[in-house]
Amino acid sequence: MSEHNQVLQELGLDVALHDEMLASVDRTFGQTVGAQTGRPEGMAYFDSALHAAHGGRVAELVDLKKNGTKTVGTFCIYVPEELAMAANTVPVALCGGTQFSIPYAEKRFPRDICPLVKSTLGLAFSKTCPYGPLKSMAVGETTCDAKKKTWEILAGKVNFHVMELPQKKDQLDIDLWRNAVYEFKDKLESLSGTKVEVENLGTAIKVMNAKRRALQRLAELRKADPPPISGLDALVVMQAALNDEPVRFTAALDRLHAELEERMARGFSPLPEGAQRVMFAGCPAVMGNWKVHALVEQSGAVIVADESCTGSRYFENLIDETARDLAGQVDAIADRYMKINCACFTPNQERIDSIVEKAREYGVKGVVQYVLQTCHGYNVEAMRVEAALKKAEIPSIKIVTDYSEEDAGQLRTRIEAFVEQLS
Ligand code: BJ8
């Protein structure tokens, strides 16, 4: 048995099934991301970060755990990573993007909940998620019903904290959210025994802002026509962002920027000439899920912007670094996270406006609205998004799908027709 599988076995994982799961994810990766040509050399780091999510990164966290550092599992980008870092814990995203684990969730949970929730649960139930046994606490949030009700069941089994995220953005809601952020800070402090103080929180804010700035720079480079990187590769970068160590990630992204700028200087793009510029908007496409990005780009378009939690929702808006006391810093964190526009909010005019604004800013010809099956928030909100885009004379298409390959042929036909319409 390899040294790494030894580590997984010690964590209580089903090593044989874990190997099968990785082989399945690798196959999908090879058919989508790996099948592209003209990929930047700098993508090697992000490809390996995806693999490291079940390899080297796990080993790192095991070593940290031996030294007393706790890992905190998260499921949503509303959970402030800065606080976890300042409390000397390591935040790790636990969302599943693979079809492989879904049958394991369907044995115990209703089939008609979203694939992201089922894939995440299935990884835990099948003992193929190394972060399950590694984490000292999981943090849920009151976003969609599927998640909220799932937390109730998981809370009885593991150390679980739920952040109360309001559903509106009025002053009362802002106050409630600030309280939830303070409560999270207290919870982290009692978990780790480390006080969140002005200095360690200030450092964490700077680290995360630097990471956001680097991701914003990548978004800027994608505005070029033609863009120097495919939407699929940009998605791989985003997926790695949710799991990798932030300082190392930012340095690797800065190296990728330099390569992309050099490509732009010599007029090189990996996309076919005349590829239609498209924006992806809606649910996140987390690690293991490359399905719709691949279909869009294999149909002759290029995704130049992602309005999703594996896109701009994750890196927009920096945290104000000017606060000099703890209360000011925590408020600044709460304020920044409250600006995220998830479809769980109502009314959600900010999201609708930002989609139209981005579509113009990135010069897109059309928008692909991405809805994971049974995600009612994004599915119903898609009507308002479509109407606003129509008013702005920007065509859009709504894709409702899961992680399986069953509908790939049908989706390909619809997406090809949409791309054809754009040209
Ligand atoms: S901020 S999108 S990460 S909640 S897709 S589980 S909403 S039924 S992932 Fe999300 Fe936070 Fe919002 Fe982003 Fe529910 Fe919809 Fe499934 Fe979702």
Side-chain angles (χ1 to χ4, degrees):
M1 186 181 283
S2 71
E3 199 182 320
H4 178 64
N5 276 355
Q6 186 74 39
V7 173
L8 297 179
Q9 194 169 54
E10 281 165 21
L11 286 172
L13 261 63
D14 181 334
V15 174
L17 197 62
H18 182 264
D19 281 349
E20 258 184 65
M21 187 270 293
L22 283 191
S24 148
V25 172
D26 272 349
R27 248 190 326 275
T28 313
F29 184 86
Q31 288 159 357
T32 53
V33 183
Q36 303 175 100
T37 54
R39 302 187 69 210
E41 282 176 20
M43 282 307 298
Y45 174 84
F46 302 97
D47 292 355
S48 70
L50 292 193
H51 287 97
H54 281 256
R57 183 69 173 140
V58 176
E60 271 177 16
L61 296 178
V62 168
D63 285 347
L64 284 169
K65 190 176 179 179
K66 282 182 191 149
N67 295 331
T69 304
K70 314 266 195 225
T71 295
V72 173
T74 63
F75 304 91
C76 178
I77 61 161
Y78 277 104
V79 177
E81 291 173 80
E82 295 77 2
L83 283 173
M85 289 157 63
N88 194 31
T89 69
V90 182
V92 179
L94 294 181
C95 296
T98 171
Q99 173 68 21
F100 182 89
S101 57
I102 286 184
Y104 297 91
E106 288 179 342
K107 281 185 195 157
R108 302 197 211 171
F109 267 64
R111 290 175 67 91
D112 43 2
I113 53 174
C114 109
L116 190 147
V117 172
K118 283 194 288 189
S119 179
T120 308
L121 287 172
L123 288 168
F125 295 161
S126 60
K127 297 193 177 158
T128 54
C129 175
Y131 300 102
L134 257 177
K135 67 178 182 318
S136 301
M137 180 171 80
V139 189
E141 54 345 283
T142 55
T143 47
C144 66
D145 290 349
K147 282 178 158 185
K148 272 187 294 202
K149 293 289 125 183
T150 299
W151 309 152
E152 291 170 12
I153 292 162
L154 297 185
K157 297 183 171 55
V158 293
N159 181 12
F160 210 96
H161 175 69
V162 179
M163 293 189 77
E164 174 145 15
L165 186 76
Q167 310 281 282
K168 294 174 76 182
K169 292 190 178 178
D170 295 337
Q171 192 54 50
L172 268 179
D173 308 292
I174 293 169
D175 295 344
L176 184 141
W177 174 239
R178 281 190 177 182
N179 283 338
V181 173
Y182 274 97
E183 192 190 33
F184 179 48
K185 174 187 88 62
D186 296 345
K187 193 85 193 174
L188 287 161
E189 287 176 336
S190 54
L191 176 79
S192 67
T194 300
K195 274 257 168 246
V196 173
E197 285 169 327
V198 173
E199 203 167 289
N200 54 19
L201 188 53
T203 304
I205 290 172
K206 284 198 173 78
V207 166
M208 288 304 295
N209 271 350
K211 180 177 166 182
R212 289 186 189 106
R213 277 192 202 97
L215 287 164
Q216 288 170 2
R217 192 163 154 221
L218 178 64
E220 275 301 310
L221 294 176
R222 292 171 75 195
K223 286 182 183 168
D225 191 9
I229 184 168
S230 68
L232 202 42
D233 277 342
L235 176 65
V236 170
V237 171
M238 274 309 309
Q239 292 171 337
L242 297 180
N243 185 282
D244 199 8
E245 196 285 317
V247 174
R248 184 173 57 202
F249 172 88
T250 304
L253 188 47
D254 284 342
R255 289 194 294 274
L256 179 67
H257 293 148
E259 185 183 351
L260 298 182
E261 277 160 0
E262 183 272 325
R263 283 180 157 207
M264 284 160 64
R266 62 184 162 90
F268 176 82
S269 170
L271 286 315
E273 220 183 300
Q276 300 299 325
R277 299 171 68 82
V278 158
M279 183 165 96
F280 176 98
C283 292
V286 297
M287 207 180 276
N289 178 9
W290 303 286
K291 180 173 160 177
V292 172
H293 280 70
L295 283 172
V296 169
E297 297 201 329
Q298 286 164 6
S299 301
V302 52
I303 296 176
V304 295
D306 292 76
E307 187 276 333
S308 77
C309 299
T310 40
S312 57
R313 284 204 290 273
Y314 181 72
F315 58 73
E316 272 175 346
N317 303 311
L318 300 178
I319 293 173
D320 181 2
E321 293 181 20
T322 58
R324 291 290 162 256
D325 59 21
L326 193 61
Q329 287 175 315
V330 177
D331 286 352
I333 288 173
D335 292 348
R336 183 264 157 194
Y337 280 84
M338 193 66 169
K339 286 186 194 139
I340 297 171
N341 294 322
C342 174
C344 62
F345 277 89
T346 184
N348 210 11
Q349 193 58 40
E350 293 93 334
R351 175 165 181 255
I352 319 278
D353 293 343
S354 85
I355 290 174
V356 175
E357 209 175 290
K358 273 194 192 70
R360 291 196 176 119
E361 195 183 329
Y362 285 80
V364 305
K365 290 275 188 65
V367 174
V368 174
Q369 291 208 65
Y370 178 63
V371 179
L372 287 171
Q373 263 172 21
T374 77
C375 179
H376 307 314
Y378 284 95
N379 201 358
V380 178
E381 191 157 284
M383 294 166 71
R384 295 187 62 211
V385 174
E386 185 190 351
L389 287 168
K390 197 169 176 185
K391 203 165 158 206
E393 297 182 359
I394 301 165
S396 67
I397 182 174
K398 182 173 83 172
I399 302 291
V400 182
T401 187
D402 58 11
Y403 291 170
S404 78
E405 283 303 308
E406 278 165 25
D407 58 353
Q410 191 200 24
L411 289 184
R412 188 182 295 277
T413 309
R414 284 187 61 212
I415 292 170
E416 279 174 359
F418 177 66
V419 173
E420 180 69 32
Q421 172 202 337
L422 300 182
S423 57

